[in-house]
Amino acid sequence: MKHFAAFVALIAIITAAGCSKDKPPEDQQKTIELSYSIFFPASHLQAQTAEAWAREVESRSDGRVKITMFPGGTLTKAPQCYEGVVNGVSDIGMSVFAYTRGRFPLLEGLDLPLGYPDGVTATRLANEMVKKFEPEELSDVHVLYLHAHGPGILASTRPVRGVEDLAAMKIRGTGLSAKIVSSLGAVPISMSQGETYDALQKGVVEATFCPVETLKGWKQGEVIDYVVDTTAIGYTTAMFVVMNKAKWESLPADIRTVLSEVSEEWIGKQGQAWDQSDADGQEFVRELGKSFIELSDEQRRAFVSAVQPVLTEYVSSTEAKGLPGKEFLADLQARLAQAGGE
């Protein structure tokens, strides 16, 4: 009888051990809920691309991660999004570096008028630069990835075929683009995108610097007559997708791997989304019968020369802060030159 009891006990131990082996660790049983604050409205292609990122993370984690989206600045407004992530208001956030001028002095170099050809290139280079330089200004978050729009161009109510045509012209420009406007001899007028349509229609401004996608997304193509190919000085606007650092560090290693792998893939997808938006904007303006102006090689060089003080100011201001702005700019320009030759 004793032998039989010992046998039964042994079977029970083996069975329990087997069940325990099949049972996942406690941290793999709980659903990890994450909040994602994004300033784009839900209808914007960039918000839809971010939504697809979230669903892909959920899928690859076998449902262990659930991400709730808060588009349109409903959780944190665009200028407060980054600090909202730092302080845990949201676990993840997407917004624009330039919305808090001076907060990211080295990364302001990404937005300079360097002649970005498209959104895919701008997005790829933004990520490469952050990985190489590891800016201290991003040390209070975990960076998932960056993205950036295609070249900012000039959309105008009157023809512009050279720098001289911009003299005293009133142009909508904010932040860095305002500096570009001033360097070209024009008068920058600061306003939001939402105000720009009426300003162009009423003549408060005569032109605006913007990515082509804006002409459809904000309907500004309806109130301009010319799209000037100023891609020689095409600037971009770099945007972040970052995660609260403590939240990131609390995640299981395999979930961090999922987030990293999906984010790496979305660098290309987010850049492609910007290029698709630009293509849609171009088509929208063409259907409206607006004119496209190509600059001569001489005028392209004149535009490039005119904005050099903006680059010089960036270098001097970063160097004064002890930041490697000169190296950052030279590296970025070299990568752009290489991208142009590929």
Side-chain angles (χ1 to χ4, degrees):
M1 192 69 180
K2 289 182 179 179
H3 292 297
F4 178 75
F7 176 74
V8 171
L10 179 61
I11 293 298
I13 292 171
I14 293 172
T15 302
C19 292
S20 176
K21 184 177 182 182
D22 294 338
K23 188 177 181 180
E26 185 177 350
D27 66 348
Q28 292 187 14
Q29 299 177 59
K30 295 179 181 178
T31 299
I32 300 168
E33 297 190 4
L34 302 174
S35 56
Y36 189 167
S37 176
I38 179 170
F39 80 105
F40 287 109
S43 59
H44 197 287
L45 182 57
Q46 293 302 318
Q48 293 169 4
T49 306
E51 174 82 26
W53 173 89
R55 302 293 80 85
E56 184 67 16
V57 169
E58 292 178 354
S59 175
R60 292 201 203 174
S61 68
D62 296 323
R64 288 165 55 204
V65 175
K66 178 176 174 53
I67 301 174
T68 302
M69 307 291 290
F70 293 89
T74 53
L75 185 56
T76 49
K77 299 300 181 185
Q80 288 79 46
C81 184
Y82 186 89
E83 294 303 328
V85 172
V86 172
N87 297 322
V89 178
S90 69
D91 298 309
I92 305 168
M94 176 194 290
S95 192
V96 178
F97 287 118
Y99 284 171
T100 46
R101 299 296 295 181
R103 176 68 172 77
F104 308 98
L106 187 65
L107 293 179
E108 286 180 12
L110 295 173
D111 294 358
L112 292 170
L114 302 175
Y116 288 98
D118 50 57
V120 167
T121 300
T123 295
R124 175 173 61 82
L125 295 187
N127 284 278
E128 289 179 2
M129 296 298 287
V130 165
K131 287 176 182 176
K132 176 177 179 178
F133 283 85
E134 298 181 340
E136 176 65 24
E137 57 211 53
L138 290 177
S139 62
D140 47 6
V141 296
H142 175 77
V143 178
L144 292 168
Y145 67 99
L146 274 57
H147 60 99
H149 66 62
I153 49 81
L154 184 70
S156 175
T157 58
R158 58 185 174 90
V160 173
R161 294 185 170 83
V163 174
E164 61 277 4
D165 294 330
L166 296 174
M169 190 174 182
K170 294 176 293 183
I171 301 177
R172 183 262 179 191
T174 59
L176 176 67
S177 62
K179 294 181 180 180
I180 296 172
V181 170
S182 295
S183 71
L184 294 171
V187 180
I189 307 293
S190 177
M191 65 183 66
S192 69
Q193 288 289 6
E195 299 171 300
T196 304
Y197 185 103
D198 286 343
L200 286 164
Q201 189 176 48
K202 296 175 182 178
V204 175
V205 295
E206 301 162 275
T208 177
F209 268 108
C210 63
V212 177
E213 63 93 15
T214 303
L215 300 180
K216 180 179 181 181
W218 295 89
K219 305 298 184 184
Q220 293 167 13
E222 297 175 351
V223 289
I224 57 96
D225 297 298
Y226 301 91
V227 176
V228 186
D229 182 11
T230 55
T231 52
I233 59 167
Y235 66 92
T236 190
T237 302
M239 303 172 207
F240 57 78
V241 181
V242 298
M243 189 170 187
N244 177 272
K245 200 164 188 177
K247 175 63 73 172
W248 169 261
E249 292 171 350
S250 74
L251 296 175
D254 62 327
I255 295 298
R256 292 199 298 267
T257 297
V258 167
L259 283 161
S260 297
E261 289 178 350
V262 176
S263 295
E264 187 68 25
E265 293 175 20
W266 249 249
I267 291 172
K269 292 180 183 293
Q270 211 86 44
Q272 289 165 4
W274 279 117
D275 287 345
Q276 181 60 55
S277 294
D278 276 351
D280 293 345
Q282 289 246 14
E283 183 62 25
F284 177 73
V285 175
R286 290 189 190 280
E287 288 176 353
L288 292 173
K290 308 298 182 172
S291 300
F292 286 75
I293 296 177
E294 296 285 337
L295 299 177
S296 67
D297 289 343
E298 180 182 0
Q299 280 299 336
R300 289 192 187 95
R301 289 191 292 271
F303 269 83
V304 171
S305 177
V307 300
Q308 286 306 302
V310 178
L311 278 58
T312 301
E313 181 185 347
Y314 165 76
V315 171
S316 60
S317 65
T318 51
E319 296 282 301
K321 295 180 176 71
L323 298 170
K326 184 176 182 180
E327 180 187 355
F328 188 94
L329 177 57
D331 193 319
L332 183 53
Q333 287 175 313
R335 291 172 189 264
L336 267 170
Q338 183 178 11
E342 291 175 351

